[in-house]
Amino acid sequence: MKIGILAVQGAFLEQEAVLDQLNVPWKEIRCEKDLEDHFDGLIFPGGESTVQGKLLKELHLFDPLLTMIQNDLPVLATCAGMILLSEKIDGKPSPYFKTIPMDVKRNAYGRQLGSFHTAAEYKELGCVPMTFIRAPYVSKAADSVSILSVVDSHITAVQYRNQTALSFHPELDPDLRIHQKFLDLCS
Ligand code: GLN
């Protein structure tokens, strides 16, 4: 098994460190050529969704990755990644993938002071630690979207078909179960 990690901007090194701990091979996706070899799952890291979205298009990664997502490649998206997958952003149609029928609110906890750590219930896993960094939350989701976690009455993790999208950063905590669950979907 091999996992592709989008590595154009943001917290991709932290994702690589988690996969190293789990002994799972990964490859960085930085340009079109990186899509030539097969990979079994794809991680969209945290970072800045506007920058990532722009680079995805400039580097000609956007269309092939959209096709892969639509063809059911398992995807784990954290924070900025969640924004890239959402159909709407702050109530407006997204210019990005739009592969999850939901609306996200960006920087939903405030721009500067919006970073915090907590622990909350996650579907089938019980209590997991969660680190939020200028995070979005899901303000509205279609009935077909499965809700995996809710923090302070806001949806912070969802599953839709092949896509797992998280408001928080599991790669920054020692609990590896969310990544393990994703890898189970990839194998
Ligand atoms: N605030 C960022 C955005 O809007 C997301 C932050 C993150 O990925 N930690 O894209």
Side-chain angles (χ1 to χ4, degrees):
M1 174 161 68
K2 188 178 274 185
I3 303 298
I5 301 177
L6 182 69
V8 295
Q9 191 271 341
F12 53 89
L13 294 176
E14 290 80 352
Q15 299 288 348
E16 294 168 9
V18 171
L19 295 187
D20 284 343
Q21 281 184 67
L22 291 166
N23 289 315
V24 174
W26 46 265
K27 68 170 294 176
E28 292 186 346
I29 309 295
R30 291 173 178 270
C31 62
E32 257 181 305
K33 201 171 180 313
D34 296 328
L35 302 176
E36 284 170 11
D37 300 338
H38 174 81
F39 47 92
D40 307 278
L42 175 64
I43 294 181
F44 286 117
E48 194 55 41
S49 55
T50 49
V51 178
Q52 293 180 358
K54 187 169 178 281
L55 288 171
L56 280 167
K57 289 182 185 176
E58 282 175 13
L59 297 165
H60 307 290
L61 288 169
F62 186 85
D63 290 332
L65 287 178
L66 175 61
T67 303
M68 287 178 173
I69 300 168
Q70 287 169 336
N71 288 339
D72 278 343
L73 179 72
V75 175
L76 177 66
T78 62
C79 209
M82 171 191 253
I83 296 169
L84 293 178
L85 299 180
S86 184
E87 193 173 273
K88 285 185 171 180
I89 303 171
D90 295 329
K92 301 189 196 89
S94 163
Y96 311 120
F97 294 117
K98 297 192 276 275
T99 47
I100 306 184
M102 64 181 187
D103 189 347
V104 290
K105 183 170 162 54
R106 280 185 73 203
N107 300 309
Y109 301 91
R111 248 174 202 283
Q112 297 304 328
L113 300 172
S115 301
F116 61 97
H117 187 265
T118 189
E121 285 295 309
Y122 189 100
K123 194 175 179 189
E124 289 168 16
L125 295 182
C127 194
V128 301
M130 299 178 181
T131 298
F132 292 80
I133 303 172
R134 295 186 305 110
Y137 61 62
V138 178
S139 47
K140 207 169 168 188
D143 290 345
S144 50
V145 176
S146 159
I147 293 165
L148 303 177
S149 84
V150 173
V151 174
D152 294 337
S153 65
H154 298 305
I155 301 167
T156 52
V158 298
Q159 182 74 41
Y160 180 68
R161 298 166 47 116
N162 52 320
Q163 301 157 77
T164 311
L166 313 169
S167 297
F168 54 92
H169 287 262
E171 75 280 9
L172 299 182
D173 281 298
D175 189 321
L176 306 180
R177 289 177 297 162
I178 290 179
H179 282 82
Q180 190 57 66
K181 216 168 146 65
F182 165 64
L183 295 170
D184 292 344
L185 296 176
C186 299
S187 59

Short mmCIF file of all heavy atoms in Angstrom, two decimals, residues 8 17 45-46 70 74 84 88 90 126 132 137 148 169 173 187:
data_model
loop_
_atom_site.label_atom_id
_atom_site.label_comp_id
_atom_site.label_asym_id
_atom_site.label_seq_id
_atom_site.Cartn_x
_atom_site.Cartn_y
_atom_site.Cartn_z
N VAL A 8 1.97 20.65 -1.67
CA VAL A 8 2.23 21.94 -2.31
C VAL A 8 2.29 23.08 -1.30
O VAL A 8 2.85 24.14 -1.58
CB VAL A 8 1.18 22.26 -3.41
CG1 VAL A 8 1.28 21.25 -4.55
CG2 VAL A 8 -0.23 22.33 -2.86
N ALA A 17 5.09 12.10 8.91
CA ALA A 17 5.60 11.54 10.16
C ALA A 17 4.63 10.52 10.76
O ALA A 17 5.06 9.48 11.29
CB ALA A 17 5.86 12.68 11.16
N PRO A 45 -3.54 17.87 3.43
CA PRO A 45 -3.12 18.37 4.74
C PRO A 45 -3.78 19.71 5.08
O PRO A 45 -4.39 20.35 4.22
CB PRO A 45 -1.61 18.57 4.55
CG PRO A 45 -1.47 18.96 3.12
CD PRO A 45 -2.54 18.17 2.37
N GLY A 46 -3.58 20.15 6.31
CA GLY A 46 -3.99 21.48 6.71
C GLY A 46 -3.07 22.52 6.08
O GLY A 46 -2.02 22.18 5.51
N GLN A 70 -13.59 11.45 -7.50
CA GLN A 70 -14.90 11.01 -8.03
C GLN A 70 -14.90 9.51 -8.33
O GLN A 70 -15.95 8.88 -8.31
CB GLN A 70 -15.25 11.81 -9.29
CG GLN A 70 -15.64 13.24 -8.96
CD GLN A 70 -15.72 14.12 -10.20
OE1 GLN A 70 -15.09 13.84 -11.22
NE2 GLN A 70 -16.48 15.21 -10.10
N PRO A 74 -9.89 6.61 -1.66
CA PRO A 74 -10.09 7.07 -0.29
C PRO A 74 -9.29 8.35 -0.01
O PRO A 74 -8.13 8.46 -0.40
CB PRO A 74 -9.56 5.91 0.56
CG PRO A 74 -9.68 4.71 -0.33
CD PRO A 74 -9.39 5.23 -1.72
N LEU A 84 -11.43 22.40 0.90
CA LEU A 84 -11.29 22.12 -0.54
C LEU A 84 -12.36 21.13 -1.04
O LEU A 84 -12.74 21.16 -2.21
CB LEU A 84 -9.91 21.54 -0.84
CG LEU A 84 -8.71 22.48 -0.66
CD1 LEU A 84 -7.41 21.74 -0.95
CD2 LEU A 84 -8.82 23.71 -1.55
N LYS A 88 -19.90 24.06 -0.55
CA LYS A 88 -20.04 25.51 -0.32
C LYS A 88 -19.07 25.95 0.75
O LYS A 88 -18.75 25.18 1.67
CB LYS A 88 -21.45 25.84 0.15
CG LYS A 88 -22.48 25.79 -0.95
CD LYS A 88 -23.81 26.27 -0.39
CE LYS A 88 -24.82 26.46 -1.51
NZ LYS A 88 -26.10 26.93 -0.96
N ASP A 90 -18.63 29.23 3.35
CA ASP A 90 -19.30 30.44 3.88
C ASP A 90 -20.54 30.80 3.07
O ASP A 90 -20.76 31.97 2.72
CB ASP A 90 -18.31 31.62 3.90
CG ASP A 90 -17.15 31.38 4.86
OD1 ASP A 90 -17.35 30.68 5.88
OD2 ASP A 90 -16.04 31.89 4.60
N GLY A 126 -14.64 6.49 20.19
CA GLY A 126 -14.72 7.04 21.54
C GLY A 126 -14.02 8.38 21.60
O GLY A 126 -13.99 9.11 20.60
N PHE A 132 -7.29 22.15 17.05
CA PHE A 132 -7.91 23.04 16.06
C PHE A 132 -6.99 24.24 15.82
O PHE A 132 -6.54 24.87 16.78
CB PHE A 132 -9.26 23.55 16.58
CG PHE A 132 -10.31 22.49 16.68
CD1 PHE A 132 -10.35 21.61 17.77
CD2 PHE A 132 -11.29 22.36 15.71
CE1 PHE A 132 -11.33 20.63 17.87
CE2 PHE A 132 -12.27 21.38 15.79
CZ PHE A 132 -12.29 20.50 16.88
N TYR A 137 -15.61 24.76 10.60
CA TYR A 137 -16.53 23.68 10.98
C TYR A 137 -17.60 23.57 9.91
O TYR A 137 -17.70 24.44 9.04
CB TYR A 137 -17.09 23.82 12.39
CG TYR A 137 -17.91 25.05 12.72
CD1 TYR A 137 -19.11 25.33 12.06
CD2 TYR A 137 -17.49 25.91 13.74
CE1 TYR A 137 -19.86 26.45 12.39
CE2 TYR A 137 -18.24 27.04 14.07
CZ TYR A 137 -19.42 27.30 13.39
OH TYR A 137 -20.15 28.41 13.72
N LEU A 148 -19.25 12.36 12.09
CA LEU A 148 -18.36 11.55 12.93
C LEU A 148 -18.04 12.21 14.26
O LEU A 148 -17.74 11.53 15.23
CB LEU A 148 -17.04 11.29 12.17
CG LEU A 148 -17.14 10.63 10.80
CD1 LEU A 148 -15.76 10.52 10.17
CD2 LEU A 148 -17.77 9.25 10.93
N HIS A 169 -6.69 18.62 13.50
CA HIS A 169 -5.43 18.04 12.99
C HIS A 169 -5.02 16.80 13.79
O HIS A 169 -4.23 16.92 14.74
CB HIS A 169 -4.32 19.08 13.14
CG HIS A 169 -4.40 20.21 12.18
ND1 HIS A 169 -3.67 20.28 11.02
CD2 HIS A 169 -5.14 21.34 12.22
CE1 HIS A 169 -3.96 21.40 10.38
NE2 HIS A 169 -4.84 22.06 11.09
N ASP A 173 -1.46 15.08 17.26
CA ASP A 173 -1.64 14.41 18.54
C ASP A 173 -1.11 12.98 18.43
O ASP A 173 -1.04 12.43 17.34
CB ASP A 173 -3.13 14.42 18.92
CG ASP A 173 -3.54 15.77 19.48
OD1 ASP A 173 -2.99 16.17 20.52
OD2 ASP A 173 -4.39 16.45 18.86
N SER A 187 -7.00 -0.14 2.22
CA SER A 187 -6.43 -1.47 1.93
C SER A 187 -7.49 -2.46 1.44
O SER A 187 -8.66 -2.23 1.57
CB SER A 187 -5.72 -2.02 3.16
OG SER A 187 -6.63 -2.12 4.22
#
